[in-house]
Amino acid sequence: MSESARQTVSTRATPPKRGTRSVWPVICLIAVLLILSAYLLLVVSNVVYLTGIDEASFSSVAQLLKDLRRGIHDILWFFTSGRMSSRFWLTVKTASISTMLSLLVGIPAGYALSRFRFPWPNLTRTLIDLPVMVPPAAVGVFLFGVMHGWPVKPLCEMIGISFAHNTNGVILVQFVVTVSFCARLMKSSFDGVNPHFEQVSRSLGASLPRTFWKLTLPLAKRGIIASTIVVWARAAAEWEALMLFVGGTEAETDVMPFAVYLDWNGGMMGWVASYSIACILLAVASMAAVRIIAGKSYLW
Amino acid sequence: MNSSNDNTAIGVHNGRATGMRSRAVIFTAIFYFITVMLMLAVCWLFLSNVDQLFPREDTVRTEAMDAWRSDEPTKEFAGGCWRFPSFWRSVNLTVVSATVTTLIAAILGIPAAYALSRYKIPGRAVIDVLFSSVIVLPASSVGLCLVVMFQYGPLHDILDGWGIHVPLSVPGIVVVQLVLSLAMGMSAWRAAFDGVKPRFEHVARSLGASPWRSFRTVTLPSARAGIFAGLILAWTRAAAEFGGVLTFCSTFEQFSPELFSPIIRALHLHKADPLAVNMWAQIEYGNVEYGFAIGFVLVMISALSVYVLHKIGGKGYIW
Amino acid sequence: MLRALSCFLATALMLAATGCGDSGNVMLFHAGVGQRSSLNEIKDVFLARHPNARLNFAYKGSGYFIADLERSREGDLFMPGEEFYFLQAVERGFITDYDPKTDIAAHFMVVIATPRGNPKNIQELEDFAKPGIRVGLGNPKACAIGIWDEKTFRKAGIWEQVKKNQVQSAKCIAETASAIQHREVDASLIWSSTAVLYLRDIEIIPIEPRYRGLVRLPVGVLKFSKHPELARQLKEFMLSEEGSKIFRSHAYVTDPGPLDEQGFCLDGGMASRDDCKWLVQAAKVCKDENIPVNAETCGHLVGEVRRQRATKRAGTR
Amino acid sequence: MIEIRNLGITLGEFHLHDVNLTVHDGEYMVLLGETGVGKTVVIECIVGIYRQNHGSILVDGQDVTALYIEERNMGYVPQDYALFPNLTVYNNIAYGLATRKMPRDAIAAKVEPMMDLLNVSHLRSRLPLNLSGGEMQRTALGRALVTEPRILLLDEPLSALDENTRSELSAELRRIHDAVGGTFLQVCHNFEEASDVADRIAILNAGTVVQTGTIDEILSEPASPFVARFTRTRNILDARAEACSGGCVLALGGEHTLDCSREATGPVTVAIRPEKISILPAGAAISENNCLSGHIVRTRLKPNHAEITIETDRGPTLIAYTPRSAVDGTLTEGSSVCARIAPGDIRVFHKDAT
């Protein structure tokens, strides 16, 4: 054996030809470029549309400059108007409130899901993740059914709260759409904290609640903050369920993504494009913030 | 003396321990309670609407309105939706378009996710942020961007020259669905490839395998669960798409078949709305039971996909 | 960390609490999505006089209302985009005091709309039947324009041919109009009051008088109204001279002249002639920066044109 | 022959500079260094995972720097073996041949003897997930060897194993090397492990190769105090040297002096291997030269020898190894002894050398 092996080594198989360099890496990079350029085209065409520059603008340099100046003026006009800022603040307000409500439920639920045992784990997990995957439009329809059915409707009437066609309804929709998403993200954040820390803390005499407040929460801080931002961004992007459950009232329920749809229906494309750009900026900014705060994390 | 000391020590300890124990029990109980309430609320949201599937006794019916609904009566369970071709056309369109979307997303997204996971691409963090931001982008905004992209500027001129109208068409549905399902799929594929150590590929290549071969024979099988998870996520997102289709494709029931390409006619994709849009449309038409029935179909699709996702243990980045 | 979190949550609860207790004087107005801009102005004027009142809108496609009202039994006023849907509500007993003679707030006029520049050179109804024209139609099950599409083309005797050209089945008037705006279809029928929102981006062609539909827009107080007195005042305001003026400035027709029982013009379009003229004129002025905007060039639509001329992309309120 | 010339690479905080290394055909070379010194990076440069910033890697005189990993034909066994989890043992070993598009029976004809050689034939259809450490290692070896690579690069192949398996497997590695007659370059951080298998050893420190040679050369002539320490020279002492004929005299503190056959002057560092110290009864100091008198402070029995710590009178503490059989009543703790060191067994380094 050793002799034959020795011989095979000396008569080495020729190494693979140099021509076999694969195009695979090139394909991969092309795919990235393709998606990236499509995405940028998507966003840039929106901005260009808002400026109002079209083929006619390229007839002469003077015309182009004139249209550019006009476009910049228009963009400033849209973005500095009270209509924009009121929608923006409405979005910020409703998304913040619903995010906070989501946190109130999501943090304990996330911790419980991460640390406690539940019977029928597959069913439990599916239940928690279901509203994340169900189309928001269906959530809107189902919310319509729940809110107009027994016992919610008589109860609301008794307390004197209305959720139809007003800001409360917006907050409710955003809360319903984001709460399990929030619990999901919080579970991931708490999963990132090694339970050994908690065991050591409790062996040193700290009670479970104290361990949670003083150790687990600070350790999971980055994850929690990042999750909060994502939940906020998701709440601020909600509109399909709004459209099916709340309906649009000026300055009351038309948060920016919804205003995009409403103004779209009113033909006010200038506003549509402006809101849309604002929504994109909001989404990118929140994702960038998350990236800076938390690096990467798993959702599932 | 010694023994009394011991006793107090034990006594104090016991007292503290009981206090701590009760605190721990209360804490645990509260957290359990909140979680169980959340689950019950989810159950309530979906299950309490089962009664919407039954026609209501107190619903006032008028002849004029029922005349409009004549082809889709609502006097039976779930509006009798299963008897209507429009329902099955909807299912067909959703399944076919979501599958086509998922295929395109996979062809584009898997290599892209692999590149982002493995290669040093300048500005990778920025690209990551851009791609993940699609997940929190409102669909209305996406729909508008698509309309502007396809109806204005050079792209429109080129496509118009070829006689292609993307909005208001079946391919338009795929385009809309692609945006979000690509982002969702890539989040899972990124995670899948990040989970496979590059060392496997180095070894494979040191054995003479080309990058493609090492990807195909080593990385891809190892990342199988994640790839499937991404496909499921992408498919479910595509099937659930509503807002984008509404703004970009409007709806196109009742079209004359001559306007469609033979492929689309052969697959019976014309004359239908995607399920999510059809749900809304049926409620607009006043067929509430029918609409809720479609809603339940969508919920069941989602539940199934979430369940399978957990079953195969796929992971996905959210950011 | 703990403190910050509790502060955060406390603020949340406070904000949520303040957001909740305000169902005092809020009225809910179910209105067709096509009436949005005019009703917003009505709301502003009305609320200026009734500072304690508040008014929320639920804009939808007309077909949705019956389903919504059936399930929710909520709301104070009702104004769908067609009398047909209104009569549904009357028939179901949601509105008890409808008087077809007096309760019509305004009329929509059906007009032909084409993309800017009219690339397929649509001039009259018959052009819709030409092969190769991409026609957008409404879905009659969901919205009023769908009903009028069918009525109008049937009267013109070209319904079957037009159906062959259909590429869109819109669920509300706005879908039809924005398809025109973005050149997704070549021609559609839309309301005059919708067309006026798109002056910069579409061409408006009046329909010849015998096929020109004028759509009655009734308004009524719902029987389950929680603020019937206030709602009645708002309805009165909309029916008053002042209300009519606001509607007219949004290109509604307030004086339709004699109509047949289907809603088409009878007098050769004499009464709505001016409305047609100013609509076409306004579309022209809005696109041409060199023409001054005043009552001589745009008639009663001067406000609308001015708003749209402010920016290149329509920024009407 | 694999030659590495002036290889330099910077990876973040980490630098390698001027690494020179020559591996002759059929040689078993071990690259030795402390953890984190960059041994793995050298291996990965040779494999082609990293591209060096400067310098070159020559195979039979031909520069392979521009070649991709798959074109270099280097066998690579990473530390965790990286057995493809989706392939059976047989398919793992056959992988490299399959990529060369060899016919099925030709692959079998190569894989079967290789599996026999490595004693993994009975595992052929098992997946790597449930293999033991040794089985995984042999499979990984087989996978790399069956393609007849120019050189086999082993990255710490034994570090993840327990002590017993390790010594068995190093014998196994040596057996395989001798059986296939290939060229091996192994990386490890343990001198004993290296001495089990290596023909020659290269020692890497502070980003460069500090000494290359056979075990004997390195043991007897360490190039620096670092090498001496690294090769288990337990006695590293400070001293002053004064030149004299045939070498020097070292002053070790107290009244102790030692003759040394190497030339040096001034402050020096002295390295004495523990097994070179012979322990004599206390009185011997007078009759023998190069003797340091003192007493035993500790005696520890090790598997192969006894480690005896001697505190010399007002001088340095020495550690000496003697055969276990030599440990009797006289070598108990506290007893006075003499430590004798032959002049030729003392290595001296200048003070500033490291």
Side-chain angles (χ1 to χ4, degrees):
Chain A
M1 169 62 222
S2 96
E3 202 43 48
S4 73
R6 216 180 274 280
Q7 270 171 10
T8 52
V9 169
S10 56
T11 57
R12 256 188 351 261
T14 47
K17 299 187 299 287
R18 285 193 68 163
T20 58
R21 283 188 187 182
S22 167
V23 288
W24 175 239
V26 183
I27 292 175
C28 291
L29 291 172
I30 287 174
V32 173
L33 269 182
L34 218 61
I35 299 175
L36 186 66
S37 50
Y39 185 90
L40 291 179
L41 185 64
L42 211 64
V43 176
V44 168
S45 57
N46 197 345
V47 180
V48 171
Y49 175 78
L50 183 57
T51 60
I53 292 170
D54 49 22
E55 296 92 54
S57 309
F58 291 97
S59 55
S60 70
V61 178
Q63 182 67 30
L64 186 64
L65 282 177
K66 195 178 145 221
D67 283 5
L68 263 180
R69 197 174 307 131
R70 172 81 190 256
I72 291 165
H73 168 264
D74 278 5
I75 289 181
L76 288 178
W77 187 83
F78 281 118
F79 275 85
T80 53
S81 68
R83 200 164 188 267
M84 172 63 89
S85 64
S86 74
R87 300 304 180 279
F88 177 79
W89 289 117
L90 182 70
T91 313
V92 170
K93 182 184 143 194
T94 53
S96 303
I97 295 174
S98 56
T99 304
M100 290 176 208
L101 293 174
S102 288
L103 285 185
L104 214 56
V105 177
I107 289 182
Y111 184 76
L113 289 169
S114 165
R115 295 286 193 272
F116 302 164
R117 282 161 169 277
F118 284 90
W120 310 299
N122 268 337
L123 182 72
T124 328
R125 286 194 296 184
T126 307
L127 265 185
I128 290 292
D129 289 346
L130 195 51
V132 183
M133 291 297 277
V134 168
V139 173
V141 166
F142 282 105
L143 212 53
F144 176 83
V146 166
M147 296 311 285
H148 291 309
W150 185 90
V152 182
K153 191 169 164 110
L155 209 66
C156 285
E157 270 168 8
M158 207 173 74
I159 304 169
I161 300 178
S162 166
F163 286 102
H165 315 289
N166 57 20
T167 314
N168 294 345
V170 179
I171 294 169
L172 175 74
V173 166
Q174 291 178 341
F175 172 72
V176 170
V177 170
T178 55
V179 63
S180 16
F181 190 51
C182 181
R184 223 319 142 184
L185 290 170
M186 290 305 163
K187 177 184 184 297
S188 308
S189 306
F190 287 124
D191 282 346
V193 178
N194 192 334
H196 285 312
F197 292 124
E198 284 166 42
Q199 287 152 8
V200 169
S201 158
R202 293 182 68 185
S203 79
L204 292 171
S207 64
L208 186 57
R210 194 184 158 80
T211 304
F212 177 73
W213 285 116
K214 293 285 176 190
L215 192 78
T216 317
L217 270 189
L219 282 176
K221 190 163 72 180
R222 275 161 164 270
I224 290 175
I225 294 173
S227 310
T228 307
I229 297 172
V230 176
V231 168
W232 189 88
R234 178 73 188 79
E238 182 47 48
W239 76 284
E240 295 172 1
L242 282 183
M243 170 190 158
L244 287 156
F245 175 63
V246 177
T249 304
E250 287 268 315
E252 180 92 27
T253 63
D254 54 346
V255 291
M256 279 198 302
F258 195 21
V260 169
Y261 179 71
L262 286 172
D263 284 353
W264 165 275
N265 277 347
M268 309 178 210
M269 290 306 288
W271 287 113
V272 176
S274 313
Y275 291 140
S276 172
I277 290 167
C279 284
I280 292 169
L281 287 179
L282 220 55
V284 173
S286 41
M287 279 328 212
V290 164
R291 177 88 190 189
I292 289 163
I293 291 169
K296 259 187 234 149
S297 175
Y298 290 106
L299 168 61
W300 301 106
Chain B
M1 169 106 188
N2 259 349
S3 69
S4 82
N5 257 353
D6 280 353
N7 275 346
T8 34
I10 291 165
V12 167
H13 184 70
N14 268 348
R16 223 177 134 232
T18 18
M20 274 175 49
R21 170 159 298 192
S22 66
R23 254 181 287 166
V25 166
I26 293 168
F27 177 85
T28 316
I30 291 174
F31 276 30
Y32 258 120
F33 177 75
I34 291 175
T35 318
V36 170
M37 285 310 281
L38 178 59
M39 291 173 194
L40 287 180
V42 173
C43 287
W44 177 253
L45 178 64
F46 295 118
L47 292 184
S48 77
N49 278 300
V50 170
D51 74 328
Q52 304 280 356
L53 294 174
F54 298 94
R56 285 160 67 132
E57 293 293 316
D58 60 339
T59 303
V60 189
R61 303 228 159 263
T62 67
E63 280 187 13
M65 202 65 189
D66 283 345
W68 284 114
R69 298 173 177 177
S70 59
D71 56 332
E72 280 147 17
T74 56
K75 284 178 182 157
E76 56 186 306
F77 175 72
C81 65
W82 60 88
R83 291 200 284 105
F84 295 108
S86 70
F87 174 74
W88 295 111
R89 282 201 303 259
S90 232
V91 173
N92 178 37
L93 173 68
T94 309
V95 169
V96 173
S97 67
T99 309
V100 172
T101 303
T102 308
L103 279 180
I104 298 174
I107 289 167
L108 268 178
I110 292 178
Y114 181 74
L116 285 174
S117 162
R118 285 287 188 277
Y119 304 142
K120 280 192 195 122
I121 299 169
R124 186 164 67 174
V126 178
I127 296 175
D128 275 351
V129 166
L130 287 181
F131 285 179
S132 61
S133 70
V134 176
I135 295 174
V136 290
L137 210 57
S140 54
S141 189
V142 172
L144 164 95
C145 288
L146 284 172
V147 167
V148 171
M149 183 168 130
F150 280 104
Q151 291 301 98
Y152 297 86
L155 193 61
H156 174 251
D157 299 341
I158 295 167
L159 292 177
D160 212 30
W162 296 340
I164 298 174
H165 294 273
V166 182
L168 304 185
S169 69
V170 178
I173 294 183
V174 172
V175 169
V176 176
Q177 291 177 342
L178 193 56
V179 177
L180 195 59
S181 61
L182 187 57
M184 289 300 276
M186 274 187 69
S187 77
W189 294 324
R190 275 294 305 274
F193 292 132
D194 284 355
V196 180
K197 275 182 271 175
R199 177 158 296 163
F200 287 109
E201 286 163 38
H202 292 150
V203 170
R205 292 184 63 191
S206 80
L207 293 169
S210 65
W212 162 242
R213 198 187 161 87
S214 72
F215 172 76
R216 189 168 54 83
T217 55
V218 176
T219 320
L220 213 51
S222 307
R224 198 167 40 198
I227 305 254
F228 274 121
L231 289 175
I232 291 170
L233 277 171
W235 195 91
T236 315
R237 264 293 145 221
E241 182 60 41
F242 167 76
V245 177
L246 199 65
T247 42
F248 185 56
C249 299
S250 187
T251 53
F252 48 108
E253 219 186 81
Q254 302 183 334
F255 287 12
S256 60
E258 297 91 78
L259 287 166
F260 295 93
S261 65
I263 302 172
I264 287 167
R265 260 183 289 158
L267 292 170
H268 299 284
L269 297 180
H270 60 298
K271 288 194 161 211
D273 293 326
L275 272 176
V277 178
N278 199 14
M279 170 187 69
W280 174 71
Q282 291 303 336
I283 291 176
E284 282 247 305
Y285 302 157
N287 304 327
V288 180
E289 297 84 3
Y290 191 160
F292 271 95
I294 299 180
F296 275 105
V297 170
L298 285 170
V299 170
M300 275 185 267
I301 290 175
S302 312
L304 196 67
S305 75
V306 171
Y307 185 78
V308 174
L309 206 61
H310 285 309
K311 201 82 184 162
I312 63 174
K315 286 170 174 226
Y317 287 133
I318 182 62
W319 56 79
Chain C
M1 175 70 194
L2 173 57
R3 193 175 301 162
L5 201 77
S6 7
C7 283
F8 193 59
L9 293 177
T11 332
L13 288 178
M14 243 166 59
L15 277 170
T18 53
C20 282
D22 62 353
S23 49
N25 252 350
V26 189
M27 286 194 294
L28 180 58
F29 197 148
H30 294 276
V33 69
Q35 287 103 290
R36 183 160 169 252
S37 71
S38 54
L39 287 186
N40 278 341
E41 190 168 339
I42 295 268
K43 173 188 174 182
D44 289 349
V45 177
F46 180 74
L47 292 190
R49 292 183 202 164
H50 297 82
N52 294 327
R54 283 179 59 196
L55 182 57
N56 285 351
F57 288 104
Y59 295 114
K60 289 161 193 143
S62 298
Y64 197 9
F65 288 121
I66 304 303
D68 192 339
L69 290 176
E70 258 179 19
R71 301 275 155 166
S72 71
R73 313 268 162 161
E74 258 179 24
D76 301 276
L77 285 128
F78 184 44
M79 187 181 182
E82 229 279 2
E83 198 179 12
F84 173 83
Y85 302 101
F86 196 85
L87 290 176
Q88 297 303 310
V90 174
E91 222 175 311
R92 282 171 166 74
F94 300 152
I95 289 162
T96 47
D97 61 343
Y98 177 53
D99 178 353
K101 297 225 162 45
T102 57
D103 287 356
I104 307 299
H107 294 73
F108 288 144
M109 180 171 57
V110 182
V111 296
I112 299 171
T114 71
R116 186 175 170 142
N118 196 357
K120 291 286 164 79
N121 195 25
I122 307 290
Q123 292 305 336
E124 49 183 11
L125 277 183
E126 278 72 23
D127 292 338
F128 278 65
K130 281 191 202 158
I133 301 288
R134 293 164 59 88
V135 175
L137 297 179
N139 186 330
K141 283 189 275 185
C143 62
I145 191 67
I147 295 175
W148 277 89
D149 280 331
E150 191 167 343
K151 263 197 207 177
T152 311
F153 290 118
R154 273 196 198 286
K155 192 173 186 207
I158 50 172
W159 175 236
E160 294 308 319
Q161 293 96 302
V162 172
K163 277 291 273 185
K164 286 207 177 90
N165 286 341
Q166 180 184 10
V167 295
Q168 185 192 26
S169 171
K171 292 192 175 60
C172 63
I173 183 70
E175 271 181 35
T176 325
S178 65
I180 286 287
Q181 181 182 28
H182 302 299
R183 304 179 284 186
E184 290 162 13
V185 297
D186 297 326
S188 284
L189 296 187
I190 59 175
W191 310 138
S192 53
S193 63
T194 309
V196 82
L197 301 173
Y198 296 81
L199 290 176
R200 262 189 181 281
D201 301 320
I202 67 174
E203 306 291 341
I204 299 164
I205 299 142
I207 302 176
E208 57 180 297
R210 62 196 162 117
Y211 303 131
R212 185 185 296 160
L214 283 151
V215 185
R216 287 150 64 89
L217 282 178
V219 55
V221 177
L222 289 164
K223 102 178 156 187
F224 25 76
S225 166
K226 294 199 185 83
H227 314 282
E229 187 49 35
L230 207 55
R232 200 187 48 73
Q233 283 177 15
L234 177 54
K235 178 183 157 189
E236 295 300 322
F237 174 71
M238 286 165 70
L239 297 175
S240 71
E241 195 60 33
E242 216 180 340
S244 292
K245 227 177 134 192
I246 295 177
F247 278 120
R248 192 166 149 76
S249 72
H250 286 275
Y252 289 74
V253 177
T254 48
D255 174 21
L259 303 174
D260 66 9
E261 73 277 9
Q262 274 196 302
F264 292 105
C265 278
L266 279 181
D267 63 341
M270 286 310 287
S272 51
R273 197 186 50 189
D274 273 5
D275 294 287
C276 290
K277 182 184 124 196
W278 290 125
L279 202 54
V280 173
Q281 188 65 24
K284 200 171 132 204
V285 172
C286 202
K287 289 182 197 99
D288 192 344
E289 304 267 319
N290 300 322
I291 305 176
V293 185
N294 53 39
E296 257 131 63
T297 53
C298 315
H300 56 274
L301 299 176
V302 58
E304 200 64 47
V305 176
R306 229 175 237 147
R307 274 198 288 274
Q308 295 193 31
R309 280 268 290 262
T311 53
K312 188 149 184 188
R313 294 298 173 204
T316 329
R317 59 158 274 157
Chain D
M1 191 168 71
I2 313 288
E3 272 179 278
I4 298 172
R5 284 197 198 147
N6 301 328
L7 179 110
I9 185 168
T10 300
L11 293 169
E13 296 286 287
F14 175 87
H15 303 279
L16 281 183
H17 55 87
D18 295 333
V19 174
N20 284 293
L21 192 65
T22 305
V23 189
H24 301 291
D25 283 344
E27 188 173 48
Y28 200 133
M29 182 93 169
V30 172
L31 187 59
L32 198 60
E34 288 173 323
T35 311
V37 79
K39 309 179 296 281
T40 302
V41 176
V42 174
I43 287 271
E44 287 176 339
C45 278
I46 301 173
V47 177
I49 296 169
Y50 295 119
R51 190 148 297 180
Q52 70 271 22
N53 298 7
H54 57 80
S56 50
I57 297 166
L58 306 176
V59 176
D60 295 333
Q62 186 195 0
D63 195 343
V64 297
T65 306
L67 295 184
Y68 284 4
I69 305 179
E70 61 267 29
E71 295 162 343
R72 292 194 181 186
N73 197 23
M74 309 272 187
Y76 175 44
V77 180
Q79 190 170 1
D80 56 4
Y81 311 132
L83 291 179
F84 306 137
N86 51 312
L87 302 179
T88 60
V89 167
Y90 179 89
N91 286 335
N92 258 291
I93 295 176
Y95 186 91
L97 300 176
T99 63
R100 287 165 170 75
K101 308 251 184 326
M102 278 173 69
R104 194 177 281 262
D105 46 347
I107 291 176
K110 287 206 161 210
V111 173
E112 295 294 348
M114 185 55 73
M115 284 171 60
D116 289 338
L117 175 70
L118 296 164
N119 298 329
V120 289
S121 305
H122 58 292
L123 305 168
R124 68 174 61 239
S125 50
R126 295 256 293 271
L127 286 172
L129 196 66
N130 38 31
L131 293 183
S132 75
E135 289 163 347
M136 277 161 74
Q137 193 211 25
R138 292 204 299 270
T139 310
L141 271 175
R143 182 178 63 181
L145 282 174
V146 81
T147 60
E148 293 145 17
R150 191 63 194 82
I151 182 171
L152 183 70
L153 302 160
L154 299 141
D155 187 0
E156 306 240 7
L158 305 171
S159 66
L161 306 172
D162 62 88
E163 190 64 42
N164 289 330
T165 326
R166 180 188 301 184
S167 53
E168 280 170 29
L169 284 178
S170 30
E172 185 76 11
L173 273 176
R174 186 69 219 190
R175 179 181 75 81
I176 293 162
H177 172 262
D178 294 342
V180 300
T183 312
F184 282 30
L185 174 60
Q186 177 181 334
V187 147
C188 78
H189 61 258
N190 186 320
F191 182 68
E192 278 77 26
E193 198 180 305
S195 58
D196 283 344
V197 290
D199 292 329
R200 285 200 304 145
I201 289 177
I203 294 174
L204 200 62
N205 185 38
T208 191
V209 174
V210 289
Q211 191 173 10
T212 312
T214 62
I215 294 175
D216 193 40
E217 283 163 10
I218 286 176
L219 284 181
S220 56
E221 293 292 330
S224 68
F226 169 80
V227 176
R229 206 178 295 120
F230 197 75
T231 53
R232 307 289 188 272
T233 304
R234 302 287 299 272
N235 303 303
I236 311 279
L237 312 168
D238 288 334
R240 275 200 83 76
E242 276 176 35
C244 68
S245 59
C248 62
V249 177
L250 300 164
L252 288 170
E255 292 160 7
H256 301 296
T257 56
L258 285 176
D259 291 337
C260 173
S261 56
R262 290 175 173 82
E263 287 176 12
T265 53
V268 291
T269 304
V270 176
I272 306 159
R273 295 201 64 82
E275 64 273 16
K276 299 289 185 190
I277 300 176
S278 17
I279 299 172
L280 306 174
I286 306 127
S287 55
E288 298 272 349
N289 51 5
N290 263 12
C291 261
L292 307 178
S293 60
H295 59 277
I296 296 175
V297 290
R298 203 172 58 191
T299 304
R300 300 221 65 79
L301 293 180
K302 296 287 176 76
N304 306 322
H305 59 260
E307 178 189 306
I308 292 166
T309 313
I310 302 163
E311 205 171 275
T312 56
D313 306 331
R314 294 189 300 282
T317 304
L318 297 175
I319 292 167
Y321 293 164
T322 62
R324 289 184 59 146
S325 56
V327 180
D328 52 19
T330 58
L331 293 183
T332 52
E333 289 171 15
S335 53
S336 297
V337 288
C338 241
R340 182 181 171 280
I341 303 139
D345 292 338
I346 302 172
R347 277 288 288 158
V348 288
F349 306 100
H350 281 292
K351 192 72 184 161
D352 48 352
T354 51

